[in-house]
Amino acid sequence: MSDALPKNNIFKVIGASSLGTLIEWYDFYIFGSLAVIIGHQLFPEDAGASALINTLAIFAAGFIVRPFGALVFGRLGDLIGRKYTFLLTLVLMGGSTFFIGLIPSYKSIGYAAPILVLILRLIQGLALGGEYGGAATYVAEHAPKNKRGFFTSWIQTTATLGLFLSLGIIVITKNILGSETFGDWGWRIPFLLSIVLVVVSIYIRMKMHESPMFSKLKAEGNVSKNPLKESFSNKANFKMVLLALFGATMGQGVIWYTGQFYAQSFLENTCKLDFNDSRYILLWGIAFATPFFVVFGAWSDKVGRKWIMLTGMLLGIIFYRPIYQIFLDDTDYTKIEQADILSSTAAPASAVLIQNSTDSLRTIVTKVVLKNGATFNRVQTDTVTLSNGILSAKEIIKDKVLAEPVFWKFVGLIFFQILLVTMVYGPIAAFLVELFPTKIRYTSMSLPYHIGNGVFGGLVPFIATLIASFSGSTPLSGLWYPIGIATLSLVIGTIYLSNKRDENINDYQLRK
């Protein structure tokens, strides 16, 4: 049984499960990290801001279907076992990612491009819906009772490490190829490279054995005949599903996706930071914060899961708006004084003829270097007409590179947000595993996890960006969505969640 499992074996189990899960998160995160570039590839050139919103909607669609993947693959996992189910999810996930890298752009096949990407994103979401529950259940059913939070927290690190890996490969590829080539076709390379990682993971997972608890369950003839019915028609078990969703995973999901995904989107699209600068900030924040998944997972074995998770939610509720206000204030270069400017160099103007018109758009890009080391591009776009001459249109400031002290301040603020992620996410696997009996654990824990993370959490970048785009909204308006959801989950969790830990999960029977 799990308590007697040798230490070297449990680390092999964690390694095999974590590697596959890391790769699946890498596959999933590439799309979100490249949303702006992918939007330009999938939609017409004149789509403007709607291209990003539509791309984020496609990204969000993969999250919305995750609960359905949890039901489908959770049922398979409780019927045929943990090993082969999340082997299948890995193949589906990796294949979908690879094919996204092959789909032609809008210029080649029109709206068939976003439709095909949407289909593959749905397959990704379904596969990921079955992956996490299998990996977390598999590790928990091997882990010693008093170290379940510690060992399952290693699975939790894979979500952030997958993001780290995806960002690292994106930055390296872009720096090697250059911005223009990367935006044209180089963005496909991170998608295509994923197939190598998937093949390695499949090889490792093929050598894994089935969970000892499930094997014993199967040998005794106690495998569930209908996991979906037993999970959700049993009143006591269904109550636990709802409590897990509204009291824990819903709030955990919005904290997670705000601290990682929305933070990146905000820095790049609202603050207009340079592509590399925004990603370097996130990479450093992730690197410093990731060990705390294990710290809080292990701590939850000693003090319980509840208050660690709820404290993470509370801190997000309190500090999100002040943090994002700092992001805005420190990247506001519209009030720069002439005395602050070290140099200002304008590139040769470029002109593009407006379709079906004799007018043209003239663009002048001026690179500004400040005395504190910060740089940015001032882009002036004018309309040139035959009758009226030059008509000034608009000026935007973008591609901002921060001064070093501000850069590290932003790293600290991202670190703090990801630290909150480790608080809510580090103990969550052990918390969910301990709620449900072995025979329906895969199904029961997967559904609240993926509704909380896939729907409530996964929609954060899309809904927050959409809210902030409404007339009369401010750049910080989108934060009311994660703050509101986290507040609701905090209240429900405080009142109804138990702080129990180290439950006996070797329990095959349903609650009465």
Side-chain angles (χ1 to χ4, degrees):
M1 293 304 297
S2 61
D3 287 354
L5 197 69
K7 179 176 281 191
N8 63 328
N9 284 359
I10 185 64
F11 281 110
K12 287 180 181 178
V13 166
I14 292 171
S17 301
S18 298
L19 178 61
T21 308
L22 181 148
I23 291 169
E24 293 213 33
W25 283 117
Y26 164 84
D27 290 351
F28 213 67
Y29 284 153
I30 294 173
F31 195 99
S33 299
L34 296 175
V36 175
I37 293 175
I38 293 172
H40 292 316
Q41 295 288 329
L42 297 184
F43 297 98
E45 291 183 357
D46 59 357
S50 65
L52 175 61
I53 292 175
N54 289 334
T55 305
L56 289 174
I58 293 174
F59 183 58
F63 289 97
I64 292 171
V65 299
R66 277 169 55 178
F68 298 100
L71 293 176
V72 172
F73 293 107
R75 180 176 184 274
L76 287 176
D78 284 327
L79 285 173
I80 67 173
R82 291 38 168 144
K83 172 185 172 179
Y84 291 106
T85 301
F86 63 59
L87 188 60
L88 174 60
T89 62
L90 179 62
V91 172
L92 290 174
M93 186 81 179
S96 299
T97 303
F98 179 78
F99 284 115
I100 287 176
L102 296 177
I103 288 177
S105 67
Y106 175 87
K107 291 180 181 178
S108 300
I109 60 174
Y111 282 105
I115 291 172
L116 289 173
V117 171
L118 174 61
I119 292 171
L120 291 173
R121 281 285 301 152
L122 294 176
I123 295 174
Q124 278 188 327
L126 288 170
L128 190 55
E131 165 65 23
Y132 176 83
T137 300
Y138 189 79
V139 171
E141 291 180 350
H142 279 87
K145 176 182 176 183
N146 61 343
K147 291 188 176 181
R148 198 172 297 126
F150 170 71
F151 285 122
T152 57
S153 66
W154 289 95
I155 290 288
Q156 310 305 83
T157 67
T158 60
T160 296
L161 289 175
L163 176 58
F164 185 91
L165 181 63
S166 70
L167 290 173
I169 289 179
I170 287 168
V171 169
I172 291 170
T173 305
K174 181 175 180 289
N175 288 344
I176 291 174
L177 297 178
S179 299
E180 187 174 342
T181 303
F182 185 79
D184 184 27
W185 60 267
W187 62 273
R188 299 177 183 275
I189 292 176
F191 286 92
L192 300 177
L193 281 178
S194 69
I195 200 68
V196 178
L197 303 174
V198 170
V199 169
V200 172
S201 184
I202 289 173
Y203 173 77
I204 292 174
R205 283 195 173 183
M206 288 293 291
K207 295 181 174 293
M208 294 166 64
H209 298 290
E210 185 54 81
S211 154
M213 288 187 185
F214 184 84
S215 296
K216 184 174 186 295
L217 193 70
K218 189 173 183 180
E220 295 173 349
N222 287 322
V223 173
S224 174
K225 295 181 175 59
N226 191 334
L228 293 177
K229 182 179 179 180
E230 292 184 26
S231 291
F232 308 121
S233 66
N234 178 276
K235 185 176 180 180
N237 197 76
F238 187 58
K239 178 183 177 182
M240 291 297 105
V241 170
L242 294 178
L243 183 57
L245 170 59
F246 293 109
T249 62
M250 182 174 73
Q252 169 255 304
V254 296
I255 295 294
W256 177 13
Y257 284 96
T258 300
Q260 296 184 161
F261 272 113
Y262 187 63
Q264 178 190 314
S265 176
F266 191 88
L267 290 176
E268 184 176 0
N269 300 312
T270 303
C271 299
K272 304 296 183 184
L273 254 60
D274 172 74
F275 182 95
N276 281 353
D277 233 29
S278 64
R279 283 154 179 79
Y280 288 143
I281 289 168
L282 206 62
L283 284 169
W284 279 111
I286 291 170
F288 291 140
T290 295
F292 288 91
F293 283 107
V294 179
V295 170
F296 288 117
W299 194 25
S300 74
D301 286 326
K302 296 179 172 60
V303 302
R305 329 289 183 198
K306 171 181 176 177
W307 293 114
I308 296 175
M309 296 188 295
L310 296 185
T311 300
M313 295 180 203
L314 176 62
L315 292 175
I317 293 165
I318 294 172
F319 288 107
Y320 276 156
R321 285 183 66 86
I323 287 172
Y324 283 78
Q325 186 64 58
I326 292 173
F327 287 156
L328 285 177
D329 293 343
D330 286 359
T331 56
D332 183 6
Y333 292 163
T334 59
K335 300 176 182 178
I336 293 294
E337 301 288 341
Q338 188 62 39
D340 298 324
I341 297 176
L342 179 65
S343 65
S344 179
T345 308
S350 62
V352 178
L353 190 66
I354 299 174
Q355 190 173 7
N356 300 323
S357 172
T358 57
D359 300 341
S360 61
L361 289 178
R362 186 185 71 173
T363 302
I364 302 174
V365 179
T366 303
K367 182 167 185 177
V368 179
V369 180
L370 303 181
K371 292 179 180 178
N372 64 6
T375 68
F376 60 88
N377 287 332
R378 181 181 285 119
V379 182
Q380 175 72 39
T381 304
D382 303 315
T383 302
V384 181
T385 69
L386 292 178
S387 57
N388 299 316
I390 299 175
L391 301 175
S392 295
K394 61 179 181 179
E395 179 182 277
I396 61 172
I397 295 175
K398 65 176 188 176
D399 301 326
K400 302 171 186 175
V401 175
L402 302 172
E404 188 170 345
V406 180
F407 176 91
W408 289 109
K409 181 200 290 189
F410 279 29
V411 169
L413 295 175
I414 292 294
F415 163 78
F416 177 74
Q417 290 184 74
I418 299 178
L419 184 69
L420 304 188
V421 174
T422 67
M423 294 180 71
V424 298
Y425 197 55
I428 198 76
F431 167 78
L432 291 172
V433 164
E434 291 169 349
L435 282 182
F436 305 106
T438 305
K439 66 188 300 183
I440 57 168
R441 178 172 295 131
Y442 200 147
T443 302
S444 295
M445 73 167 287
S446 292
L447 186 66
Y449 173 82
H450 286 294
I451 293 178
N453 286 273
V455 179
F456 289 100
L459 290 177
V460 166
F462 172 68
I463 292 179
T465 302
L466 186 63
I467 292 172
S469 70
F470 291 156
S471 177
S473 296
T474 70
L476 299 183
S477 298
L479 289 170
W480 287 120
Y481 171 71
I483 288 173
I485 296 297
T487 301
L488 179 60
S489 193
L490 174 66
V491 171
I492 295 173
T494 299
I495 297 172
Y496 295 107
L497 281 188
S498 167
N499 197 40
K500 293 179 181 179
R501 63 190 187 280
D502 293 337
E503 295 289 293
N504 176 23
I505 66 170
N506 188 17
D507 174 16
Y508 306 147
Q509 304 304 316
L510 297 177
R511 295 177 178 86
K512 301 299 183 183

